[in-house]
């Protein structure tokens, strides 16, 4: 079993950070443009909904960012890994708190990651592990921001087009920005997950492409189905969301998630997972992954059929006659194709395929056979590991690559737990 060293910060990490902040600013700018357009045209209801989504998304992301900032400061030896000059805010807690209250914490995290990445990649200074650490946090925050704002906003824009039977340039720009944000989040998130695999090179960009197509083909019909339903019964979409969101939050609680380091933070995480599950599957716990995924996709298929049937019954026969048949055929086929790509990923690109037939010599006898090989970041005698690893992204990677050959500690049961970073 390889012990493996963690990925060093590279020029691709820097490029991803720069593109990430660019997509964030473009998405934010398009939001402001659309909101201004709604307000100037007197569409105050849609203006209120859009601003509400922007505020909700920003608040949720800032809360996660602040929680993680507090957690990291409480970790023993964290400042030794990062160094005062490596952190944009240093130990200035009040300044960081003010920036998060002003909804600027997420933006300044981007700036901090680019700054740290530039020092490591261009100037060849120390701090590569902390630069990677920052990019992993940003990837998770973008995941949250995408499903709190971009996916709902994409649904809203399609809803507006269907209700008015016309589309303005600003709406196409908003749809393009939201779609780009979702697509970039999917690619960047999978790239960060791969960083925790020992044999990362074996899971090349082909796996990211399949991962991207699978998510795109599953999210797209879900968003369109919700927009179609809301276009005929706009008063019921909120009830539909709240009902499913409540069920999803309870399901996340039943799975006993342990992602955050505080009770309040954990319930914030479960509530956010409920929102993500409204649009897409997201594994939050180890074990029984296939069973939970099957339950989820079966439930969402039934819900999608109900949404489409409802739209069919209440639709405007004249306005929808031109596209009703292609839509009813393409949406189920797209979702089915997404499931096929997901199956293809697990059959051809999943790291479990790299597992040797026999048990490697020297491995502990109590190690499960169906686990994934992860990089080891063990610590001894309660002292911080020499390798700085983001516990939050490591947790997501473990959940995503579950049912595989995971080796968190090559020393067996005598080793210490990984550093909670």
């Amino acid at each position: 079993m390889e012990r493996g060293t963690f990925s060093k910060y590279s020029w691709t990490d820097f490029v991803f950070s720069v593109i990430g902040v660019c997509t964030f600013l473009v998405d934010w700018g398009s939001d402001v443009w659309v909101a201004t357009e709604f307000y100037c045209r007197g569409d105050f209801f849609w203006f209120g909904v859009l601003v509400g989504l922007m505020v909700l998304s920003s608040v949720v992301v800032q809360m996660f960012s602040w929680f993680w900032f507090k957690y990291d400061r409480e970790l023993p030896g964290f400042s030794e890994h990062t160094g005062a000059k490596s952190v944009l805010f240093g130990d200035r807690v009040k300044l960081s708190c003010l920036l998060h209250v002003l909804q600027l914490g997420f933006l300044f995290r981007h700036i901090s990651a680019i700054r740290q990445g530039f020092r490591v990649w261009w100037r060849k200074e120390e701090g590569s592990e902390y630069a990677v650490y920052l990019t992993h946090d940003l990837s998770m925050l973008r995941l949250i921001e995408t499903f709190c704002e971009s996916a709902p906003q994409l649904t809203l824009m399609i809803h507006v087009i269907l209700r008015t039977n016309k589309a303005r340039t600003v709406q196409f720009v908003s749809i393009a920005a939201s779609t780009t944000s979702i697509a970039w989040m999917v690619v960047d998130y999978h790239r960060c997950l791969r960083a925790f695999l020992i044999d990362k090179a074996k899971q090349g960009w082909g796996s990211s492409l399949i991962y991207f197509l699978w998510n795109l083909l599953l999210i797209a019909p879900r968003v369109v189905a919700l927009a179609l339903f809301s276009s005929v019964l706009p008063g019921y979409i909120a009830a539909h969301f709240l009902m499913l969101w409540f069920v999803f939050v309870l399901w996340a609680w039943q799975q006993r998630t342990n992602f955050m380091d505080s009770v309040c933070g954990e319930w914030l995480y479960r509530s956010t997972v409920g929102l993500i599950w409204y649009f897409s599957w997201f594994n939050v716990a180890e074990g029984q992954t296939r069973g939970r995924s099957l339950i989820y996709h079966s439930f969402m298929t039934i819900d999608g059929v109900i949404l489409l049937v409802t739209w069919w019954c209440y639709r405007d026969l004249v306005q929808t006659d031109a596209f009703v048949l292609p839509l009813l055929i393409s949406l189920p086929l797209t979702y089915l194709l997404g499931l096929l790509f997901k199956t293809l990923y697990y059959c051809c690109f999943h790291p479990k395929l790299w597992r040797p037939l026999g048990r490697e010599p020297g491995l502990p006898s109590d190690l499960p056979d169906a686990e994934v090989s992860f990089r080891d970041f063990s610590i001894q005698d309660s002292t911080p590991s020499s390798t700085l690893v983001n516990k939050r992204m490591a947790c997501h990677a473990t959940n995503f690559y579950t049912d595989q050959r995971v080796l968190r500690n090559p020393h067996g049961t005598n080793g210490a737990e990984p550093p909670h970073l």
Side-chain angles (χ1 to χ4, degrees):
M1 175 63 196
E2 299 179 51
R3 185 175 177 85
T5 58
F6 198 71
S7 301
K8 295 297 183 182
Y9 192 86
S10 65
W11 68 270
T12 56
D13 295 300
F14 184 77
V15 170
F16 267 72
S17 296
V18 173
I19 296 179
V21 72
C22 290
T23 56
F24 169 74
L25 293 175
V26 170
D27 192 29
W28 183 83
S30 68
D31 293 345
V32 174
W33 185 13
V34 174
T36 303
E37 189 79 8
F38 281 156
Y39 184 84
C40 293
R41 292 182 178 272
D43 298 324
F44 299 117
F45 176 75
W46 290 333
F47 168 79
V49 173
L50 180 58
V51 172
L53 290 175
M54 294 170 60
V55 172
L56 174 64
S57 170
S58 181
V59 169
V60 171
V61 170
Q62 303 300 326
M63 290 178 67
F64 272 103
S65 178
W66 173 248
F67 272 122
W68 295 349
F69 176 78
K70 288 180 58 182
Y71 297 160
D72 291 345
R73 288 188 68 254
E74 295 171 358
L75 292 170
F78 184 80
S79 58
E80 297 176 7
H81 283 292
T82 61
K85 295 182 180 180
S86 300
V87 188
L88 185 63
F89 312 119
D91 289 329
R92 291 172 284 184
V93 180
K94 292 183 179 179
L95 174 60
S96 179
C97 180
L98 177 62
L99 289 173
H100 283 85
V101 170
L102 296 176
Q103 307 302 296
L104 296 174
F106 186 37
L107 176 61
F108 274 83
R109 273 186 178 268
H110 276 286
I111 297 174
S112 180
I114 293 175
R115 175 179 178 268
Q116 180 70 11
F118 180 79
R119 294 177 60 185
V120 171
W121 169 62
W122 185 259
R123 296 184 179 179
K124 308 301 181 182
E125 298 181 13
E126 296 182 355
S128 175
E129 292 171 353
Y130 182 58
V132 174
Y133 186 100
L134 291 174
T135 61
H136 288 172
D137 266 351
L138 282 177
S139 179
M140 289 182 288
L141 290 174
R142 277 194 289 265
L143 172 76
I144 296 168
E145 190 266 345
T146 295
F147 286 105
C148 285
E149 180 183 356
S150 297
Q153 183 177 318
L154 184 59
T155 305
L156 175 63
M157 291 299 104
I158 299 175
H159 163 86
V160 172
I161 293 175
L162 291 171
R163 291 283 292 182
T164 61
N165 201 29
K166 58 183 178 180
R168 303 187 182 97
T169 302
V170 65
Q171 293 168 339
F172 281 120
V173 172
S174 177
I175 290 175
S178 297
T179 304
T180 302
S181 179
I182 294 173
W184 186 253
M185 176 278 300
V186 169
V187 174
D188 182 61
Y189 181 70
H190 185 253
R191 188 183 68 92
C192 290
L193 290 177
R194 290 171 60 244
F196 288 86
L197 293 172
I198 287 179
D199 297 322
K200 183 180 72 171
K202 292 183 179 180
Q203 197 181 42
W205 287 103
S207 65
S208 294
L209 177 61
I210 299 299
Y211 181 85
F212 167 75
L213 291 174
W214 134 34
N215 281 275
L216 184 66
L217 294 173
L218 292 182
I219 295 174
R222 176 63 179 176
V223 168
V224 174
L226 290 171
L228 290 172
F229 175 80
S230 65
S231 67
V232 295
L233 294 176
Y236 289 88
I237 188 64
H240 178 266
F241 165 73
L242 291 175
M243 181 176 62
L244 266 63
W245 174 78
F246 182 73
V247 172
F248 288 149
V249 172
L250 289 181
W251 195 24
W253 169 75
Q254 187 271 336
Q255 294 181 38
R256 299 180 180 179
T257 60
N258 188 27
F259 181 73
M260 305 287 278
D261 293 344
S262 64
V263 176
C264 293
E266 193 61 37
W267 278 107
L268 173 65
Y269 175 70
R270 291 167 180 168
S271 301
T272 306
V273 168
L275 175 58
I276 294 175
W277 279 346
Y278 190 68
F279 293 98
S280 179
W281 172 243
F282 179 68
N283 195 29
V284 297
E286 292 186 69
Q288 301 179 345
T289 305
R290 295 174 185 174
R292 287 194 296 263
S293 180
L294 180 61
I295 293 173
Y296 174 83
H297 287 297
S298 300
F299 178 82
M300 297 302 282
T301 300
I302 296 173
D303 183 68
V305 170
I306 294 175
L307 294 176
L308 290 179
V309 170
T310 303
W311 173 74
W312 168 270
C313 295
Y314 289 91
R315 66 189 175 91
D316 187 305
L317 298 179
V318 176
Q319 291 185 354
T320 62
D321 184 66
F323 60 85
V324 57
L325 186 60
L327 200 63
L328 290 179
I329 294 176
S330 62
L331 288 182
L333 288 180
T334 302
Y335 194 83
L336 178 61
L337 187 60
L339 292 177
L340 291 177
F341 269 107
K342 183 174 183 178
T343 303
L344 176 64
Y345 178 90
Y346 281 98
C347 291
C348 300
F349 294 94
H350 206 264
K352 68 181 179 181
L353 301 172
W354 314 338
R355 182 180 59 195
L357 295 177
R359 179 177 295 273
E360 297 179 30
L363 293 183
S365 59
D366 60 345
L367 183 68
D369 288 329
E371 293 191 345
V372 179
S373 296
F374 275 88
R375 303 182 185 277
D376 172 56
F377 305 102
S378 60
I379 57 177
Q380 302 294 336
D381 301 326
S382 301
T383 59
S385 170
S386 59
T387 300
L388 183 66
V389 58
N390 194 309
K391 184 201 80 169
R392 295 177 282 269
M393 181 58 76
C395 177
H396 282 187
T398 303
N399 294 335
F400 179 75
Y401 292 118
T402 193
D403 295 335
Q404 302 177 51
R405 192 170 50 90
V406 182
L407 189 60
R408 300 179 186 83
N409 189 354
H411 304 295
T413 58
N414 297 325
E417 290 294 326
H420 288 237
L421 303 183

